[in-house]
Amino acid sequence: MLLWFVILYSVGIGLFAATRVHNAKDFAVAGRRLPLPVVTATVFATWFGAEAVFGVSATFVKDGLGGVVADPFGSSMCLIIAGLIFSRYLYKLNILTLGDFYRMRYNRTVEVLTTICIVLSYLGWVAAQIKALGLIFYVVTDGAVSQEAGMILGAAIVLSYTIFGGMFSVAILDFVQMAVSMGGLLFIAWTVSGKVGGGATAVIGHAAEAGKLKFFPDPDPWLWLTFLGTWMTMMLGSIPQQDVFQRVTSAKSATIALWGSVLGASIYFCFTFVPMFIAYSATLIDPGMFGELLQKDSQLVLPTLVLQHTPVFAQVLFFGAVLSAIMSCSSATLLAPSVTFAENVVRGFYPDMGDKTFLRVMRGCLVGFACMVLVVALKSEASIFKMVENAYKVTLAEAFVPLAAGIFWRRATTQGALAAIFGGLLSWVMIEVLIGEASPVPPQLIGLGVSLLGMLAGSLLPQWVGHHQPGQDPHAILHHHAAAQTHHAEPEHRH
């Protein structure tokens, strides 16, 4: 009954949202009409998914706070940086995707290269959500639905309501499901703390004595490099992502985009500790059983605790909350790369495509990407947390420097962007393949450094040797475009 209830209201909201979708802009960025509460909810829901509920909590139980530096610490900082530094500038451009920025600031080649890398980075992230849906269906049905069948069913449900309503359905569902997931998990935390002698204080005290609250590594430079590399992967590698950009550009105004990002990030950071608390409580309630489970599959700690140590009402609340959180995250992360590929790769080959045709293309890309994600989820043996963490390495090494330099450095050129893309990507791949985890410096951190050097050398060397041909400043073109968009949007905002 619980599964059917969540499925029906999700699809129902998606069908309702479809009545608000009249063109490609409505589908991609909800017509840029979302108020602050909804933007805050979508920012929160984008991140509060499988990795926050199962991945982060399981990693914390095994490795403590030092093991979750990427998420929630890095991911929360990403959203705050995106809100405070990037949101106002990108909002004024009035564009559909980040790929549009790369084309306007550099050229079509940079647009396609960055778009493909951004789209590929989503495979692991969305697959992690689908994998978690399979886990939930398996646990709730007591094995009657296998994890593989659960993944297929979960992917079909998420695809069904996302394909109808696009960003409108994502935003409305996020707002509803944020309340459901937060309420359900807080009730579970309260229930579980009552089963531990001493309550929440005893749980926190035990975690502190066990060294689980130690955040910073020992004073070893190589450990610190690994620590910073992990943190920066999520903090900076997540910024050039379409889902973050969509939340910024879906807001009613630049101010709402800024505060929606900051508030959503703050709520996410604080609330992610709730699943950590619940999972760690499990090891105190039944150390023998959960100690064994940690060795086999730590991701099962949380659902097993709820099924075996809470009343039926609490179980309904928990699994309803988790399904809501994961489905919100899945729909957002499924929509973002599909819209990006349609806008920045397909549309370039058919520039005269009409709006209705383009809307069909975006929906077709959504179906194609969902199928690819399902294959990755079914084949991958990595944990949910690792699948999410690995997703951002490619964008950190390849897409972050061209984005940041394109906005904040007037002398950045197309040659610099290409050098940054190829240098960062190739160096990261080579270190990852040839050395892998044995590398004393995280491969993605090397890629980021080479990307930065590529941008500097590619932009400055042609000017220094006199080969740079003076022309219209692309940075000035962007500012002119942003000013024009703001001017045209003023009457709309006044209304």
Side-chain angles (χ1 to χ4, degrees):
M1 289 297 294
L2 168 68
L3 296 179
W4 279 112
F5 173 73
V6 175
I7 290 168
L8 289 174
Y9 91 72
S10 297
V11 175
I13 290 176
L15 291 172
F16 166 76
T19 63
R20 306 285 303 275
V21 176
H22 306 294
N23 53 49
K25 189 174 183 180
D26 288 342
F27 188 83
V29 292
R32 291 166 66 95
R33 299 198 295 268
L34 299 183
L36 179 61
V38 178
V39 174
T40 302
T42 59
V43 170
F44 169 85
T46 299
W47 291 94
F48 196 76
E51 74 286 355
V53 178
F54 296 122
V56 173
S57 60
T59 304
F60 171 76
V61 171
K62 290 193 297 181
D63 305 324
L65 282 182
V68 295
V69 59
D71 192 7
F73 292 93
S75 53
S76 300
M77 283 303 300
C78 157
L79 295 171
I80 291 174
I81 292 171
L84 293 176
I85 299 177
F86 289 87
S87 66
R88 284 185 177 274
Y89 181 88
L90 291 173
Y91 186 88
K92 291 177 183 177
L93 294 178
N94 194 20
I95 51 181
L96 284 182
T97 67
L98 268 181
D100 292 341
F101 166 82
Y102 288 111
R103 181 185 68 251
M104 293 165 60
R105 181 62 174 87
Y106 302 112
N107 64 7
R108 167 73 175 158
T109 304
V110 175
E111 172 193 20
V112 172
L113 290 173
T114 51
T115 295
I116 290 173
C117 283
I118 289 171
V119 169
L120 290 176
S121 74
Y122 275 95
L123 282 174
W125 189 10
V126 189
Q129 314 308 316
I130 301 302
K131 197 169 185 177
L133 286 175
L135 180 67
I136 290 293
F137 287 128
Y138 173 77
V139 173
V140 169
T141 60
D142 197 23
V145 176
S146 68
Q147 291 197 40
E148 290 76 14
M151 292 181 204
I152 296 170
L153 178 61
I157 295 166
V158 173
L159 178 63
S160 65
Y161 67 76
T162 308
I163 202 169
F164 290 124
M167 189 60 195
F168 265 122
S169 66
V170 169
I172 296 171
L173 273 169
D174 285 351
F175 187 72
V176 173
Q177 291 173 334
M178 177 181 173
V180 173
S181 59
M182 290 182 72
L185 287 171
L186 285 172
F187 179 81
I188 293 295
W190 176 76
T191 303
V192 168
S193 65
K195 293 182 174 292
V196 180
T201 305
V203 176
I204 297 170
H206 189 282
E209 290 178 7
K212 299 298 182 181
L213 302 187
K214 181 185 176 184
F215 180 63
F216 294 106
D218 295 328
D220 182 320
W222 300 115
L223 291 177
W224 270 90
L225 271 175
T226 302
F227 176 82
L228 292 174
T230 304
W231 196 342
M232 291 176 67
T233 298
M234 290 288 273
M235 183 171 64
L236 301 182
S238 305
I239 290 176
Q241 290 283 0
Q242 177 65 16
D243 61 285
V244 175
F245 174 82
Q246 275 180 315
R247 271 113 201 95
V248 170
T249 52
S250 297
K252 274 186 178 180
S253 67
T255 302
I256 289 177
L258 188 157
W259 285 109
S261 296
V262 173
L263 288 173
S266 303
I267 296 171
Y268 171 77
F269 177 78
C270 296
F271 200 74
T272 307
F273 287 92
V274 175
M276 292 189 217
F277 172 83
I278 299 171
Y280 194 79
S281 298
T283 64
L284 304 184
I285 293 172
D286 193 342
M289 186 188 75
F290 288 107
E292 184 180 345
L293 202 57
L294 277 173
Q295 303 300 320
K296 293 181 179 178
D297 189 352
S298 57
Q299 295 170 157
L300 287 172
V301 168
L302 205 54
T304 304
L305 167 72
V306 174
L307 281 174
Q308 297 191 7
H309 293 276
T310 62
V312 174
F313 175 70
Q315 294 175 25
V316 171
L317 273 181
F318 172 78
F319 288 108
V322 171
L323 275 174
S324 296
I326 295 174
M327 288 170 71
S328 290
C329 190
S330 302
S331 57
T333 51
L334 191 63
L335 178 67
S338 306
V339 169
T340 301
F341 188 81
E343 165 73 7
N344 302 115
V345 177
V346 178
R347 192 168 198 168
F349 294 104
Y350 305 97
D352 298 325
M353 189 189 311
D355 192 78
K356 295 294 183 184
T357 303
F358 183 54
L359 186 57
R360 287 196 293 270
V361 168
M362 281 197 287
R363 285 173 166 150
C365 290
L366 194 64
V367 174
F369 191 74
C371 293
M372 292 172 63
V373 163
L374 183 57
V375 171
V376 172
L378 290 169
K379 298 292 184 183
S380 177
E381 299 293 331
S383 69
I384 292 171
F385 186 80
K386 278 295 178 187
M387 289 175 75
V388 171
E389 185 182 348
N390 291 337
Y392 302 108
K393 292 180 179 179
V394 59
T395 46
L396 177 69
E398 186 260 3
F400 176 74
V401 170
L403 174 65
I407 293 175
F408 302 111
W409 191 39
R410 297 183 65 89
R411 300 181 71 179
T413 65
T414 300
Q415 296 96 318
L418 291 171
I421 291 168
F422 285 110
L425 193 60
L426 291 175
S427 59
W428 167 64
V429 170
M430 287 177 61
I431 300 296
E432 197 77 62
V433 172
L434 297 177
I435 304 177
E437 294 183 359
S439 173
V441 180
Q444 69 272 21
L445 209 56
I446 295 175
L448 176 64
V450 174
S451 181
L452 180 59
L453 289 175
M455 173 58 75
L456 292 172
S459 298
L460 296 177
L461 283 178
Q463 300 173 40
W464 287 345
V465 298
H467 293 161
H468 179 66
Q469 297 297 321
Q472 197 168 8
D473 181 4
H475 195 274
I477 293 173
L478 272 182
H479 278 287
H480 175 74
H481 177 81
Q485 294 296 334
T486 303
H487 174 74
H488 290 313
E490 281 175 0
E492 179 185 323
H493 289 309
R494 281 200 295 269
H495 290 301

